[in-house]
Amino acid sequence: MFEINTILFYGITFGILIMTIVYTFVRYLYSKEIFYISYCFMQIFSLIFIISYSKLFEINILVQEFSLVIASIFAVIFAINYYEGNFFPKITNFKELVFNTFLLNVVILTAFYHYILFEYLPYTIIYAILFISLIFNLKQGFKPALIYVIGWSIFCILLFIFDFKNLYNQMGYFDLVLVVFAIEAMLFTISIAYKYNDLKIQNKNFEKMVLQQSKFVKSGEMIANITHQFRQPLNNISYILINLKKRFESKNLDEIYFDKKINQANEQVVFLSKTIDDFKEFYVESKEKVLFSVKEAINNAITILSADLKSNNIQLEVNFETFEDIQIFGVKNELSQVVFSLVSNSIDVLKNIKNPKIKIDIFCDSAEVKITVLDNAGGIKTKNIKKIFEPYFTTKELGTGLGLYLVKMIIEESFSGKILVENKKEGAYFSLFFEKAI
């Protein structure tokens, strides 16, 4: 029979392992990071090991040995995936060779002492590999592995200095191998919290890179549109100059006709200037959020796309089902980018459609602003509609798969809004929701 305290202590240990298993599995489902699932499996087999080790149940000793081997394998997989930096240090001279050899011996000795103290190989493997990760890459700054390694190192040093293990065993306390599972879980949880923050920062940097990459792609499309946009006004100015020249040569140029043509030329110049200003707004790096007009943001995008719409004979209709001065809070050029992406996608699929149309409706109630974009291209295939906001998913032959991903990212992160898509009878129907500015 076992004492109630022994059973209770084993129960606590089992509970700690189960919690880390559930935690790492859930984290893996969200992040798909290999180190989460490998640690999860290591802890599953560690749980099997400690259940067999406890002798609370009649389990064959082979199960204990098998679980130890499998847990050790997953420990290696976890540590390698959690590893930060280079496995092998760069050695350029004899001094560095001696120093790094000394450091490697320190790792081997401390890892050996770690195993002697706790007698559980998987955790020793992780400790050793992450210790190497730390000492060979010190110049790369603070790392999540630092918490893990320092935590174990301090505990090992204290046990060594005070010969605590012998004292612990002499006092008849619970087996130290049980304590190690609790310590491992705590150190891992603290370390993984820092790792998670690192991953979030990396993800933010990735999103910035993707955004910039998408802007370069879109800039080519915009330049093509602006080329079409400029051609007609420049031709008009050219005709105005030719007419003025002819009138002048024939001595038939009066002041009224001259002023009329100058005004016409100025109108074309103003149009060109506005087009350039609208184009520049797409590349303003300012992330300062302000109150801005929804109508202006939409018109900026349409101005850039108007030549493309005209050349493809696409009818664009913009309806305000509310007052036109409605405002929202955010970055104006980012809403323009959203509208540009949605409308340009519609243009791409409407090029071979008879009587192509795009309709933009703006609605507003006391709480939110809703912008909808509908085309008559027949809609999105059912198998694709759930994937269209994923990065790099595209059905276009030369598409990047970044446009709609960035649209979703901008709406959710910059405006704290949401975007939905569905198929209507006519075609794809995008709904954008934003908080109304007070």
Side-chain angles (χ1 to χ4, degrees), residues 35 77-84 130 144-145 188 191-192 195:
F35 67 81
I77 297 170
F78 163 75
I80 290 173
N81 281 278
Y82 200 77
Y83 193 98
E84 298 167 287
L130 295 189
F188 170 78
S191 180
I192 211 70
K195 184 75 171 182

Side-chain angles (χ1 to χ4, degrees), residues 18 43 51 247 249 275 308 322 330 332 351 375 409 411:
I18 291 169
Q43 291 293 66
I51 290 172
R247 286 276 189 135
E249 289 175 347
T275 303
D308 211 3
T322 180
K332 180 181 173 183
K351 288 180 178 178
D375 61 46
M409 188 178 78
I411 291 172

Side-chain angles (χ1 to χ4, degrees), residues 120-148:
Y120 190 63
L121 183 60
Y123 295 163
T124 300
I125 290 171
I126 297 173
Y127 174 67
I129 293 177
L130 295 189
F131 202 164
I132 292 173
S133 165
L134 190 66
I135 64 173
F136 285 167
N137 300 279
L138 286 172
K139 294 180 180 179
Q140 295 185 17
F142 182 84
K143 300 177 181 299
L146 183 66
I147 299 168
Y148 190 93

Side-chain angles (χ1 to χ4, degrees), residues 326-375:
I326 190 70
Q327 292 185 321
I328 60 175
F329 185 74
V331 182
K332 180 181 173 183
N333 75 313
E334 290 191 341
L335 180 58
S336 296
Q337 288 173 35
V338 166
V339 175
F340 179 91
S341 291
L342 293 177
V343 174
S344 61
N345 281 351
S346 291
I347 291 172
D348 288 339
V349 295
L350 286 169
K351 288 180 178 178
N352 298 316
I353 301 293
K354 188 177 180 181
N355 299 321
K357 295 178 182 178
I358 301 172
K359 186 179 180 183
I360 301 175
D361 290 318
I362 299 91
F363 306 87
C364 177
D365 58 26
S366 58
E368 67 181 4
V369 176
K370 178 183 177 184
I371 301 172
T372 64
V373 180
L374 173 67
D375 61 46

Side-chain angles (χ1 to χ4, degrees), residues 86-93 96-97 100 136-137 139:
N86 299 312
F87 265 107
F88 302 101
K90 293 180 180 178
I91 299 173
T92 56
N93 53 55
E96 288 183 353
L97 175 64
N100 284 301
F136 285 167
N137 300 279
K139 294 180 180 179

Side-chain angles (χ1 to χ4, degrees), residues 5-6 22 50 56 60-61 97 112 121 130 137 189 209 228 234 318 323 372 404 416 430:
N5 288 341
T6 302
V22 172
I50 202 67
L56 294 173
N60 193 304
I61 188 68
L97 175 64
F112 178 74
L121 183 60
L130 295 189
N137 300 279
T189 302
M209 179 192 72
H228 290 299
L234 290 173
V318 181
F323 53 95
T372 64
L404 290 176
S416 299
F430 288 88

